[in-house]
Amino acid sequence: MGKYTLEVCVDSAESAEAAAKGGADRVELCANLVIGGTTPPEALFEKIRSLTDIRVNVLIRPRYGDFLYTEYEFDMISRSVARFREMGANGVVIGCLLPDGSLDMERMKRLVELAGPMDVTLHRAFDMCRDAYEALDQAAALGIRTILTSGQKENSWAGRELIAGLVKESGGRVDIMAGGGVDAGKIRELIPATGAGSYHMSGKVVLDSGMVYRREEVSMGVPGMGEYEIFRTSEAKIREAREVLDEY
């Protein structure tokens, strides 16, 4: 097999720079990773483009939660795909479902058309589909290049059997990218267990805020999370993962 692909999900310019220095092949750019990621601001994309020439695939997700979108939300998704194409993104990361748990083929086809020459990844909406193999065939028919999946489990190791089955069933039609709980050590286990050629990780560490004055009784963030915790990608963690992949 050729060179393995390492994608790093980031929601800051600092994390994107660390991913590039650590040896990532590309980043999945989003906002709000703490809630699974949403569409990032254009200014963040522009800042990363000024810092590094790493390939950037942009997550297009208007909100937290499920992947059944209203007409208003789908209009926002469509506009975002078109806009990031204009701005020079290398790819977009998308996914829309129907109430019955199948891919919304009509909407997905429209988004793929809007993406044009950009790479298209089907994000972990795939993991919420009722039938993984049906969704794989549908994605291939749409011309989607990559599927990001944890094997429809909480993490990629728990879902390794399905990931292996998808790699085999795909036959190279779609790149199956393992994500969810991925780090250097887990990659070493997943390669022989799944045969996947691409891996998706955050490599995050939790940094303490630089704030000296802290009003602990007021929270502006997600319940249960520290107000003064900052998630950032670790260059060292990405480099460790790159070294494991380069061994194979």
Side-chain angles (χ1 to χ4, degrees), residues 12 36 45 50 59 72 99 185 218:
S12 69
F45 175 84
S50 74
L59 175 68
Y72 295 158
V218 179

Side-chain angles (χ1 to χ4, degrees), residues 12-240:
S12 69
E14 292 85 354
S15 290
E17 189 172 44
K21 290 180 178 178
D25 295 290
R26 64 173 181 256
V27 296
E28 180 199 274
L29 178 62
C30 63
N32 304 308
L33 260 179
V34 69
I35 56 171
T38 56
T39 305
E42 293 180 9
L44 177 56
F45 175 84
E46 292 172 333
K47 182 61 179 178
I48 290 169
R49 272 288 181 245
S50 74
L51 293 171
T52 174
D53 61 359
I54 193 170
R55 294 180 66 81
V56 179
N57 288 358
V58 181
L59 175 68
I60 309 297
R61 186 185 182 209
R63 57 163 171 78
Y64 167 81
D66 66 31
F67 306 102
L68 178 64
Y69 295 114
T70 67
E71 288 297 329
Y72 295 158
E73 289 171 335
F74 183 67
D75 181 60
M76 292 167 59
I77 292 168
S78 300
R79 290 171 181 267
S80 294
V81 170
R83 179 59 183 146
F84 280 106
R85 175 182 174 178
E86 291 173 359
M87 294 179 70
N90 298 104
V92 287
V93 185
I94 57 175
C96 301
L97 301 184
L98 293 172
D100 66 0
S102 62
L103 282 183
D104 187 333
M105 291 294 283
E106 182 178 342
R107 284 180 166 181
M108 291 295 290
K109 182 175 185 294
R110 174 61 180 148
L111 295 178
V112 170
E113 290 171 349
L114 286 170
M118 290 192 294
D119 292 343
V120 177
T121 296
L122 171 57
H123 58 45
R124 289 186 64 197
F126 176 87
D127 285 329
M128 306 304 286
C129 287
R130 66 184 184 195
D131 186 324
Y133 291 100
E134 176 187 58
L136 168 62
D137 288 339
Q138 290 175 325
L142 288 167
I144 289 173
R145 181 167 295 185
T146 304
I147 292 174
L148 170 61
T149 179
S150 63
Q152 299 195 330
K153 298 291 185 181
E154 191 64 23
N155 59 67
S156 54
W157 182 246
R160 63 190 181 278
E161 290 185 7
L162 177 57
I163 295 173
L166 292 167
V167 170
K168 182 178 179 180
E169 181 66 23
S170 173
R173 293 177 297 158
V174 180
D175 182 29
I176 304 301
M177 179 165 58
V182 170
D183 59 17
K186 199 56 64 178
I187 288 172
R188 195 181 297 279
E189 297 175 325
L190 285 166
I191 288 176
T194 67
S198 296
Y199 295 88
H200 173 97
M201 64 182 289
S202 67
K204 71 174 182 292
V205 292
V206 181
L207 305 179
D208 189 43
S209 166
M211 286 295 297
V212 175
Y213 175 75
R214 301 187 179 191
R215 186 173 291 281
E216 301 289 355
E217 65 270 25
V218 179
S219 176
M220 301 291 179
V222 177
M225 288 197 59
E227 184 70 19
Y228 300 100
E229 294 178 347
I230 300 171
F231 286 5
R232 287 279 164 77
T233 294
S234 162
E235 179 182 339
K237 288 189 175 185
I238 304 308
R239 183 172 294 107
E240 289 172 5

